[in-house]
């Protein structure tokens, strides 16, 4: 009997079963960008997809559709590499470049197209709420737990790096975001999306979260950087 057949007949299930993407193809990149543009202009009339953010938006759309042509950046060399649609997203960039907006538009686009992912026998909507990193820390200070964020199949953390390094509950100190990322990084059945002012290869990232978490982030996420003007002033 083959090993795979033995496992199948055993009835054993594995909590670390990975996320399986459900491709939504074929699709028109031109039309998809028009939808992104329309969603953006609903929020702010000055929204525009241009040379500074087009690479990001095109590849967020490829991620949403589970398109094997998706690309991202190598977090250390910044060279364009093949991406993995089963991984999450990490967007680094300066204040006002549009990181938060990009992830919120991505969630709206996924909801609009009813895009889903599969984990074992369960199917989840790919749209996701965003939560600020400091809000996760505040919840720990109030409740003494951040298990809901650990267990969320899809989690979007905004403004990572702006949170306090340690949070305290009943005398217990915890590096909440560092611990959260370390745990989620050991799971293949979680998708994590992140925005941060700190690039992944920056010394501050390593000093704040440690080599292990930075390594996990490189494994968990497709990496992007946004540069250019402060779009909040447009």
């Amino acid at each position: 009997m083959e090993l795979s057949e033995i496992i199948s007949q055993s009835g054993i299930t594995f909590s670390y079963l990975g996320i399986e993407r459900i491709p939504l193809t074929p699709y028109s990149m031109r039309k998809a960008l028009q939808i992104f543009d329309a969603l953006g202009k609903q929020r702010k009339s000055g929204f525009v997809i241009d040379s500074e953010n087009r690479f990001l938006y095109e590849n967020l759309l490829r991620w949403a559709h589970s398109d094997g042509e998706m690309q991202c950046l190598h977090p250390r060399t910044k060279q364009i590499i093949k991406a993995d649609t089963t991984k999450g997203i990490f967007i680094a960039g300066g204040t006002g470049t549009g990181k938060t907006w990009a992830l919120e538009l991505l969630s709206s686009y996924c909801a609009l197209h009813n895009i889903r992912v599969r984990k074992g026998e369960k199917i989840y909507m790919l749209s996701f709420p965003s939560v600020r990193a400091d809000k996760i820390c505040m919840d720990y200070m109030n409740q003494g737990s951040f298990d809901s964020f650990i267990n969320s199949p899809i989690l979007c953390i905004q403004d990572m790096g702006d949170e306090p390094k340690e949070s305290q509950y009943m005398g217990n100190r915890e590096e909440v975001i560092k611990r959260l990322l370390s745990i989620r990084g050991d799971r293949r059945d979680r998708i994590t999306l992140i925005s941060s002012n700190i690039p992944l290869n920056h010394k501050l990232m390593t000093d704040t979260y440690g080599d292990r978490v930075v390594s996990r982030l490189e494994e968990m996420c497709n990496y992007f950087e946004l540069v250019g003007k402060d779009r909040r002033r447009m």
Side-chain angles (χ1 to χ4, degrees), residues 28 98 151 154 159 173 224:
S28 164
N151 296 323
I154 303 170
D159 297 318
R173 293 185 176 274
F224 297 92

Side-chain angles (χ1 to χ4, degrees), residues 33-197:
L33 284 172
Q34 288 175 346
I35 293 171
F36 250 14
D37 185 67
L39 289 170
K41 282 183 168 56
Q42 281 186 348
R43 178 167 174 176
K44 188 173 183 181
S45 60
F47 174 80
V48 63
I49 297 175
D50 55 26
S51 59
E52 291 178 336
N53 62 18
R54 180 173 293 272
F55 177 79
L56 171 67
Y57 278 112
E58 287 182 348
N59 284 289
L60 290 183
L61 285 167
R62 292 185 178 107
W63 183 83
H65 286 269
S66 193
D67 183 344
E69 298 299 313
M70 181 186 174
Q71 296 177 316
C72 63
L73 300 179
H74 191 288
R76 282 163 283 169
T77 68
K78 310 302 172 65
Q79 296 296 308
I80 295 175
I81 60 174
K82 183 176 176 60
D84 182 344
T85 61
T86 65
K87 294 182 178 182
I89 302 288
F90 189 113
I91 306 176
T95 300
T97 51
K99 305 178 300 295
T100 297
W101 207 330
L103 292 177
E104 290 180 354
L105 289 180
L106 175 62
S107 180
S108 296
Y109 183 90
C110 291
L112 183 65
H113 288 78
N114 197 30
I115 299 176
R116 305 180 182 195
V117 297
R118 181 184 290 113
K119 174 196 162 189
E121 296 180 353
K122 293 184 178 181
I123 292 179
Y124 299 94
M125 293 294 298
L126 192 57
S127 59
F128 44 85
S130 296
V131 59
R132 286 178 52 91
D134 56 5
K135 171 66 165 54
I136 297 174
C137 295
M138 183 63 69
D139 283 3
Y140 172 77
M141 293 172 64
N142 292 333
Q143 303 169 14
S145 172
F146 48 95
D147 286 351
S148 62
F149 301 108
I150 290 173
N151 296 323
S152 177
I154 303 170
L155 177 65
C156 182
I157 306 172
Q158 299 279 15
D159 297 318
M160 190 185 101
D162 288 348
E163 78 281 357
K165 185 173 183 180
E166 286 189 337
S167 301
Q168 182 171 320
Y169 175 79
M170 301 287 287
N172 297 315
R173 293 185 176 274
E174 180 71 83
E175 294 181 69
V176 174
I177 301 301
K178 179 178 179 179
R179 179 66 175 155
L180 172 62
L181 293 173
S182 180
I183 296 172
R184 289 184 67 89
D186 288 332
R187 299 290 298 266
R188 293 181 57 250
D189 58 347
R190 304 285 187 267
I191 292 178
T192 307
L193 302 97
I194 295 169
S195 72
S196 177
N197 288 345

